[in-house]
Amino acid sequence: MSENIKNISDTASDVPFIKVENLSYSYENDGVPSEPALRDISLEIREGEYVAVLGHNGSGKSTFAKLLNMILTTDKGKIIIDGTEITSSSMTDDDMFEVRRKVGMVFQNPDNQLVATIVEEDVAFGPENLGLPRDEIRKRVYSSLDMVGMRDYSKHAPHKLSGGQKQRVAIAGIIAMRPRCIIFDESTAMLDPLGRKEVMSIIKRLNRDEGITVIQITHYMEEAAMADRVIIINDGTIAADSTPRDIFSRVDFLKSVGLEAPQGTELIWELRKDGFDLPDNCVTDEECIAALSELFEKTLKGKKDEQA
Ligand code: ADP
Ligand code: MG
């Protein structure tokens, strides 16, 4: 088994941290509700899980994320976070703030998330709002910057950083609030390959080493392959909810919901259609390369035996 595919039971607990029941949501256009963006979604996410959410554009992924973070609210269905129902109208501003502290969100565009003119002030913004003592704020700012490898930039101006560095500062700002869960809504989409790699390695570390529940919305299949679990949202409903291995080996199904399998899996799937003897469960690049090398060697040996 590749080290990227870990057993779900490694870090996740059995207690659902997020429980969603029959959740629906419609945006309104001049007071008129439009076609539902989410229809009757039910699921549970356990503390410590790493969940990737996939779906073609407009399928409802961001709407789902915003409901979990209370950027949007609805009375159609239930959302229970850490035992507290958040769809009830009885919530105070303090309750809402507490939900956002527990479930942090990192967005797509790093430029829209940084508010201060100096990196360390930006990271301090959240903890300051929590009303923490100065010493504690300092401690949190530096430990969060350490965690994302940006401590050396603490006195820098955020606007002079690269996209990946900005996104790492945005993540530090969320970590400084000590969240139990972080939702990344296409947080790597605007980054160059290096920036993406850096942010992905931080996301993995936050889940594995800090036990933070991760919900990562992405359109990069290689990123989703890192998760314990993949949820596919298609036209506002859950079309699949399984392990990356199971989902990525269903190439026909992926195509039917407007998605593509990882490149290697797709290549093997095409070759299998042409009658080549290859396994149907290769997901990571390493597995695909191993399967193709084996086939190549077998074919070569066959040719040699023929000639002999
Ligand atoms: P995704 O993140 O998967 O691309 P979204 O959750 O952003 O999808 O959108 C789901 C649906 O809701 C789409 O049909 C989209 O056009 C619609 N939608 C999203 N945001 C708004 C909005 N602010 N007002 C009206 N409709 C919206
Ligand atoms: Mg979106």
Side-chain angles (χ1 to χ4, degrees):
M1 189 186 279
S2 150
E3 63 142 351
N4 291 339
I5 315 279
K6 71 176 170 173
N7 190 328
I8 292 179
S9 60
D10 278 353
T11 52
S13 86
D14 290 333
V15 185
F17 180 62
I18 294 175
K19 200 172 158 130
V20 174
E21 286 176 10
N22 308 107
L23 183 69
S24 296
Y25 189 85
S26 296
Y27 289 95
E28 285 191 0
N29 212 335
D30 292 329
V32 182
S34 46
E35 273 287 288
L38 290 179
R39 313 158 198 260
D40 206 24
I41 284 196
S42 298
L43 59 85
E44 286 183 6
I45 293 173
R46 293 173 301 147
E47 178 129 48
E49 262 192 289
Y50 181 171
V51 181
V53 178
L54 300 173
H56 65 74
N57 268 342
S59 57
K61 306 179 299 294
S62 293
T63 305
F64 180 59
K66 286 174 185 163
L67 284 162
L68 293 182
N69 189 249
M70 292 198 81
I71 295 171
L72 298 173
T73 54
T74 177
D75 55 6
K76 288 191 199 128
K78 265 192 194 174
I79 299 173
I80 297 157
I81 291 182
D82 198 22
T84 306
E85 184 177 345
I86 66 164
T87 37
S88 59
S89 45
S90 60
M91 282 193 108
T92 62
D93 285 354
D94 280 352
D95 295 335
M96 187 173 337
F97 189 71
E98 184 56 14
V99 168
R100 292 202 182 137
R101 193 195 63 73
K102 276 188 198 166
V103 181
M105 184 120 136
V106 180
F107 297 90
Q108 185 176 82
N109 188 343
D111 288 323
N112 297 344
Q113 294 173 83
L114 305 179
V115 286
T117 50
I118 298 173
V119 164
E120 62 181 9
E121 285 176 8
D122 202 278
V123 180
F125 187 77
E128 273 165 5
N129 278 338
L130 292 175
L132 297 169
R134 282 264 121 221
D135 276 0
E136 175 66 16
I137 295 176
R138 274 190 71 78
K139 232 167 59 191
R140 286 196 184 193
V141 166
Y142 287 107
S143 67
S144 306
L145 284 171
D146 270 337
M147 243 186 257
V148 299
M150 287 297 287
R151 188 169 180 148
D152 291 349
Y153 293 84
S154 58
K155 307 281 183 212
H156 284 229
H159 73 267
K160 290 194 177 152
L161 302 176
S162 72
Q165 289 173 327
K166 283 181 194 167
Q167 207 60 309
R168 282 150 67 190
V169 173
I171 295 170
I174 300 288
I175 300 172
M177 308 276 281
R178 301 273 198 271
R180 305 258 298 276
C181 171
I182 305 180
I183 304 174
F184 296 89
D185 190 353
E186 307 219 20
S187 308
T188 59
M190 296 178 77
L191 308 182
D192 60 22
L194 179 65
R196 272 183 58 205
K197 217 167 139 192
E198 289 167 351
V199 168
M200 276 310 295
S201 109
I202 290 164
I203 294 176
K204 269 188 279 178
R205 236 178 322 119
L206 290 175
N207 176 253
R208 269 166 217 198
D209 302 346
E210 309 297 324
I212 294 176
T213 308
V214 168
I215 302 176
Q216 190 188 1
I217 299 171
T218 181
H219 61 257
Y220 293 109
M221 299 299 142
E222 318 87 81
E223 292 184 358
M226 308 279 177
D228 296 323
R229 172 178 169 195
V230 174
I231 293 175
I232 296 184
I233 300 188
N234 187 45
D235 295 336
T237 63
I238 294 179
D241 181 350
S242 188
T243 59
R245 178 172 304 280
D246 175 42
I247 288 190
F248 291 146
S249 54
R250 288 151 63 189
V251 179
D252 280 321
F253 162 75
L254 288 169
K255 287 181 190 294
S256 76
V257 292
L259 296 173
E260 289 194 349
Q263 272 180 349
T265 313
E266 173 102 24
L267 172 63
I268 288 186
W269 181 78
E270 290 289 350
L271 289 167
R272 276 172 57 84
K273 273 207 307 195
D274 289 342
F276 285 95
D277 179 22
L278 284 161
D280 65 354
N281 61 353
C282 300
V283 171
T284 64
D285 285 348
E286 295 78 24
E287 289 165 354
C288 296
I289 291 167
L292 289 167
S293 312
E294 198 182 316
L295 175 71
F296 183 68
E297 267 164 34
K298 255 199 283 182
T299 314
L300 207 63
K301 187 171 174 297
K303 284 247 157 66
K304 275 192 188 145
D305 289 349
E306 252 171 49
Q307 284 167 5

